[in-house]
Amino acid sequence: MSLWNISFAGCGFRSIYYLGALSCILERAPQLLCGASKIGGASSGCLVAAALTMCADVLTMAKEARKHTLGVFHPTFSLLRTVQASLLEKLPEDAHLRASGKLCVSLTRLADGKNVLVSEFDSREELIQVLMCSCFFPVYCGFVPPSYRGVHYMDGALSNNMPLFEQRNTITMAPFSGESDICPTEGTFNFFEVHYGNVSIQVNTGNVHRVCTSFLPPGLEICHHGYMDALRFLRERGELLHLHPPHN
């Protein structure tokens, strides 16, 4: 590959899956991440796209939610407030300069439901606003959507859950079994396949469970699943042989 993109589908707390997948790639083929032309994401996936180290913060949010009896539905737990606090703490002052031209965030315009892709950011605050907009899932995250440049937006996954998907050189990741490059496998038995926001999702018992639990903090074994799925992708593409010698 000469020029390629990477795209992360939105998936709620199941984005912890990306922590394992990225750990594998960083360990065995870091050039895939460092050399990517554009990195896109929607909803929770845009946090991973904004800064790969943000995976650790997704992990922190999941642990925080699990402290409450009702998890993310506990009245004292605010997902967006936690995301915002993490971004304010972790993003460097020049984050908008680093992100402009490389980060691609999917938003859904509240007024008409149309998709908007944002890849230029005038300030660090504006970058945070865009990320907050893409993560806002109605009702689950509240009733008043955030705004960006005076326009209200909501979860980017509702209109385009895999930005850059249309470009053939994009490496796609999703924690649902389907046609994404890095994703779980379920064997051969599937009822049928559906497409949601450019993400192919097989209809099977495994995915039904994954979708239904996307808004609840999962167990940390999902990190191992992400690691193994990424390892399978690298082996199938031959990256282990060309970019990094395989481990014994």
Side-chain angles (χ1 to χ4, degrees):
M1 287 184 289
S2 53
L3 292 176
W4 64 91
N5 307 312
I6 301 175
S7 187
F8 300 90
C11 51
F13 277 113
R14 297 200 77 85
S15 57
I16 296 175
Y17 172 91
Y18 299 136
L19 178 63
L22 292 173
S23 295
C24 178
I25 296 174
L26 285 170
E27 175 185 311
R28 298 175 179 259
Q31 295 90 331
L32 282 181
L33 300 178
C34 300
S37 176
K38 289 184 179 296
I39 301 177
S43 194
S44 59
C46 78
L47 299 180
V48 180
L52 298 179
T53 56
M54 291 297 289
C55 286
D57 295 312
V58 175
L59 189 62
T60 299
M61 282 188 288
K63 289 181 177 179
E64 179 68 21
R66 292 175 71 92
K67 293 178 182 178
H68 300 294
T69 304
L70 299 178
V72 294
F73 297 105
H74 193 282
T76 64
F77 179 78
S78 171
L79 180 60
L80 273 191
R81 189 166 59 243
T82 303
V83 170
Q84 184 180 38
S86 179
L87 292 173
L88 287 170
E89 178 186 356
K90 299 295 185 182
L91 289 183
E93 291 301 319
D94 64 346
H96 59 294
L97 300 177
R98 300 185 190 187
S100 290
K102 185 165 186 175
L103 174 64
C104 185
V105 181
S106 175
L107 306 178
T108 301
R109 193 160 53 210
L110 181 64
D112 55 11
K114 297 295 184 181
N115 183 254
V116 175
L117 296 179
V118 181
S119 59
E120 297 293 334
F121 312 93
D122 290 341
S123 66
R124 178 175 178 267
E125 291 70 26
E126 187 172 272
L127 170 60
I128 292 176
Q129 288 175 357
V130 171
L131 296 174
M132 294 281 288
C133 285
S134 186
C135 291
F136 181 84
F137 196 88
V139 180
Y140 178 76
C141 290
F143 295 93
V144 181
S147 62
Y148 156 63
R149 295 186 179 178
V151 178
H152 290 287
Y153 293 92
M154 54 185 176
D155 199 314
L158 298 173
S159 56
N160 182 358
N161 200 23
M162 192 73 82
L164 309 173
F165 168 83
E166 67 281 356
Q167 300 183 26
R168 296 180 61 186
N169 60 344
T170 296
I171 299 172
T172 56
M173 297 193 200
F176 311 110
S177 62
E179 294 182 356
S180 297
D181 294 310
I182 297 177
C183 69
T185 57
E186 294 291 336
T188 58
F189 182 74
N190 295 288
F191 295 113
F192 53 90
E193 191 172 272
V194 297
H195 291 263
Y196 172 70
N198 290 334
V199 177
S200 164
I201 301 177
Q202 296 169 343
V203 179
N204 52 49
T205 54
N207 271 347
V208 169
H209 172 75
R210 294 184 186 101
V211 171
C212 291
T213 58
S214 291
F215 294 115
L216 300 173
L220 299 185
E221 68 276 0
I222 190 175
C223 293
H224 176 70
H225 297 161
Y227 185 99
M228 297 308 296
D229 291 337
L231 182 59
R232 184 180 64 251
F233 166 78
L234 292 176
R235 284 175 170 163
E236 290 175 350
R237 297 295 180 92
E239 301 297 345
L240 283 177
L241 297 177
H242 298 297
L243 298 177
H244 195 284
H247 291 191
N248 292 327

